Amino acid sequence: MHTELAEFPFLSAILTSCLVGLLVIMVLPGHRTREIKWVSAGFSGVTLILSVYLFAAYDQDLGGFQFVERMAWIPRLGISYYNGADGFSLPMLLLTGIVFFTGVLTMWELEHRVKEFFALVFLLVTGVFGMFMALDLFFIFVWFDVSLFPMYLLIAVWGSTRKEYAAMKLTLYLLAGSALILPAIVYLVVQAGMGTFDLVALSAEGTLGPGVQKFAFLLLYIGFGILAGVWPFHTWSPVGHVAAPTAVSMIHAGVLMKIGAFGVLRVGMFLCPEGWQFWAPLMALLATVGIVYGAFVGLSQTDLKYCIGYSSVSHMGIVGLGLATMTADGINGAVFQMFAHGVMTALFFSSVGYIYDRTHTKIIAELGGLGRVMPVATTYFIIAALTGIGVPCLASFWAELLVFISSFKVYPVYGILAVSGLVVSALFMLRVVQRTCYGPKNEKFAHLTDVSFTLGIPRMILVSVIVLFGLFPSLMLDVIRTATIPFLHRLP
């Protein structure tokens, strides 16, 4: 039996915090909502502290997978409980910790079925954390599915605006993705003939032939790409964003879509570098179409959440374009964009959620002059919009800059189209801000109260993260680079 445990199992501690939090919530009586919220805040806070510690403690000089935990589970099938973190997964773990904690605080005013809501959120986030740290293909697939299952109930029960339709559509799309990922994983394991699901072992040079890699990569790219919102498989995404409650929208757009992009990177590109190289032009084309399509469709929307939903399609296209360039800057920018977009959309949806809870409308034309009524709430909203535009000194600026520089070198036509899409995206973001926050005040909302200091805490955390990594991008890029350089050496 192969057992390898870090001095302290920090990664398992994150999973344990989620599971213990879930169990405590399940044990508490449903009417003790205040205790359930404090328990949720406490355990999500522990995961945030652990994820920050892992990010800060990672040895950049050493690089590679660190904090490794490995224990054989089903030796006959070559399945192990195998976790590790590198320069690609650490930003995602940090992102999940931030969005999880701030999402719990954002839902502090929830009164309807509080126990069930937070229990499902804890189950969902357990799958997300597991997916980002797993190095065994079997567990990657299991965690992937665990993170998807609670979404249906969270949207169908606590959602709004055609919530049953949105929940069912999302579930069917994501199940279709799973239906491609599982056979691809089994195919790779069988073709390797090593009798193991060990991701690192299977990635050894010469293990998988070029034909196997090309076929498996296509399945993995579509399977994970559905969750990443890759055009034309994105249609579940804006509908799901609109229907989901605030915290679920934050996790949905902030973290879940990153699971898809991370799956393409960690499983598809890591195991099938020749397949990645073969399909990269197609990836670049679909990503560019997604950037332009998301920007133009977002421009015509009248619902705030639909605007943000289509902007997410556009921004996730930037991630896909960066990965398709097969350059160090492109991959660094793509991973940085996954982090920056996750924090930005969490701030966006938390701001829109606050506005909707007070005004009971998301229609832009009905929301004039909010800046005079709720100046603090609209400030958070404007910061999120500026981050989406890619204003300098905010986190997304550096991510988008790296991706566009790389795309101009590798795919100049796509690069020009992508920048054009970004300009349109900036136009519709500014239009949304102008119509929502400025102009004549709707007297119907004159009595509304602004965000209190307590409710503002999660928004302040998200703004601080956006500004911190915008002013000091090397804090993030130095970690990502430790994985990018050896990763590119795998290309034939």
Side-chain angles (χ1 to χ4, degrees):
M1 179 181 293
H2 187 161
T3 302
E4 180 183 358
L5 292 175
E7 190 171 332
F8 182 84
F10 287 99
L11 297 173
S12 291
I14 290 178
L15 294 177
T16 303
S17 298
C18 294
L19 292 173
V20 173
L22 170 61
L23 291 174
V24 174
I25 291 170
M26 293 299 292
V27 170
L28 284 170
H31 67 275
R32 296 178 65 179
T33 57
R34 189 172 181 80
E35 286 83 353
I36 291 170
K37 291 174 184 175
W38 277 110
V39 166
S40 302
F43 281 98
S44 61
V46 171
T47 66
L48 174 60
I49 292 169
L50 288 171
S51 60
V52 171
Y53 173 79
L54 286 171
F55 189 83
Y58 183 75
D59 189 336
Q60 296 178 19
D61 294 329
L62 188 61
F65 290 108
Q66 297 178 25
F67 315 107
V68 173
E69 306 157 359
R70 185 174 187 180
M71 186 168 60
W73 184 48
I74 308 177
R76 189 171 62 83
L77 297 178
I79 298 174
S80 301
Y81 174 76
Y82 185 16
N83 294 330
D86 67 349
F88 291 151
S89 52
L90 284 168
M92 299 301 101
L93 292 171
L94 179 62
L95 170 67
T96 308
I98 293 169
V99 174
F100 182 28
F101 180 65
T102 55
V104 168
L105 296 185
T106 299
M107 295 303 288
W108 206 254
E109 294 182 316
L110 179 72
E111 297 297 337
H112 174 57
R113 303 181 76 168
V114 175
K115 174 177 176 174
E116 293 85 351
F117 178 85
F118 283 109
L120 286 168
V121 168
F122 267 73
L123 179 61
L124 185 158
V125 174
T126 303
V128 173
F129 272 124
M131 169 76 187
F132 286 142
M133 64 179 69
L135 294 177
D136 184 282
L137 286 175
F138 177 82
F139 273 95
I140 286 176
F141 181 74
V142 169
W143 290 129
F144 179 80
D145 278 354
V146 167
S147 68
L148 303 183
F149 164 72
M151 284 300 294
Y152 176 83
L153 292 174
L154 285 167
I155 292 177
V157 177
W158 288 271
S160 60
T161 318
R162 297 197 300 164
K163 56 185 182 181
E164 291 87 2
Y165 167 76
M168 182 56 69
K169 185 171 186 177
L170 177 143
T171 304
L172 292 176
Y173 266 70
L174 302 186
L175 285 176
S178 291
L180 295 175
I181 294 168
L182 181 59
I185 287 175
V186 173
Y187 177 68
L188 287 173
V189 171
V190 171
Q191 289 296 319
M194 298 170 65
T196 180
F197 283 77
D198 183 333
L199 182 84
V200 179
L202 291 170
S203 68
E205 190 173 352
T207 302
L208 299 164
V212 174
Q213 292 190 30
K214 290 173 186 173
F215 178 65
F217 182 86
L218 184 61
L219 294 180
L220 293 167
Y221 173 65
I222 297 174
F224 285 117
I226 289 174
L227 188 53
V230 169
W231 186 91
F233 312 112
H234 67 283
T235 58
W236 61 271
S237 172
V239 178
H241 290 330
V242 172
T246 300
V248 178
S249 291
M250 291 170 66
I251 295 172
H252 184 192
V255 178
L256 268 184
M257 293 182 80
K258 311 307 173 296
I259 284 183
F262 185 79
V264 172
L265 173 67
R266 174 65 85 216
V267 183
M269 293 163 58
F270 193 74
L271 287 181
C272 311
E274 291 182 72
W276 168 35
Q277 196 171 35
F278 181 79
W279 292 109
L282 176 66
M283 290 176 63
L285 173 63
L286 297 182
T288 305
V289 173
I291 294 170
V292 176
Y293 170 85
F296 275 99
V297 177
L299 188 63
S300 64
Q301 298 303 310
T302 57
D303 185 302
L304 269 180
K305 276 196 165 185
Y306 267 116
C307 282
I308 304 171
Y310 280 105
S311 80
S312 290
V313 174
S314 188
H315 283 105
M316 288 304 292
I318 296 174
V319 174
L321 185 59
L323 296 178
T325 62
M326 297 186 296
T327 63
D329 283 344
I331 295 172
N332 290 337
V335 178
F336 199 170
Q337 173 72 355
M338 288 160 65
F339 177 83
H341 177 257
V343 180
M344 182 270 286
T345 47
L347 179 61
F348 232 148
F349 279 116
S350 69
S351 302
V352 172
Y354 184 86
I355 292 171
Y356 177 70
D357 289 344
R358 267 65 188 170
T359 63
H360 303 294
T361 181
K362 304 189 292 291
I363 304 303
I364 297 170
E366 299 174 1
L367 294 170
L370 284 184
R372 301 179 197 174
V373 181
M374 297 187 284
V376 177
T378 52
T379 299
Y380 293 129
F381 183 78
I382 292 170
I383 292 173
L386 294 177
T387 309
I389 293 171
V391 170
C393 297
L394 300 176
S396 61
F397 170 76
W398 303 104
E400 294 175 7
L401 181 67
L402 288 171
V403 170
F404 290 137
I405 289 174
S406 303
S407 62
F408 271 107
K409 292 178 182 174
V410 183
Y411 306 106
V413 175
Y414 295 161
I416 294 170
L417 290 172
V419 171
S420 304
L422 192 67
V423 172
V424 176
S425 180
L427 183 65
F428 90 72
M429 285 285 188
L430 292 175
R431 168 181 162 271
V432 167
V433 168
Q434 194 276 328
R435 293 190 178 184
T436 306
C437 306
Y438 301 104
K441 183 173 67 176
N442 188 336
E443 293 302 327
K444 192 169 61 174
F445 304 135
H447 66 286
L448 297 179
T449 56
D450 207 347
V451 178
S452 66
F453 176 79
T454 307
L455 288 176
I457 289 174
R459 282 96 178 173
M460 285 186 267
I461 293 172
L462 294 169
V463 170
S464 301
V465 172
I466 289 171
V467 174
L468 174 66
F469 287 102
L471 293 176
F472 305 101
S474 59
L475 291 175
M476 179 62 66
L477 289 171
D478 287 348
V479 173
I480 299 171
R481 282 194 190 101
T482 61
T484 304
I485 303 305
F487 190 67
L488 286 173
H489 287 161
R490 297 169 43 74
L491 282 174

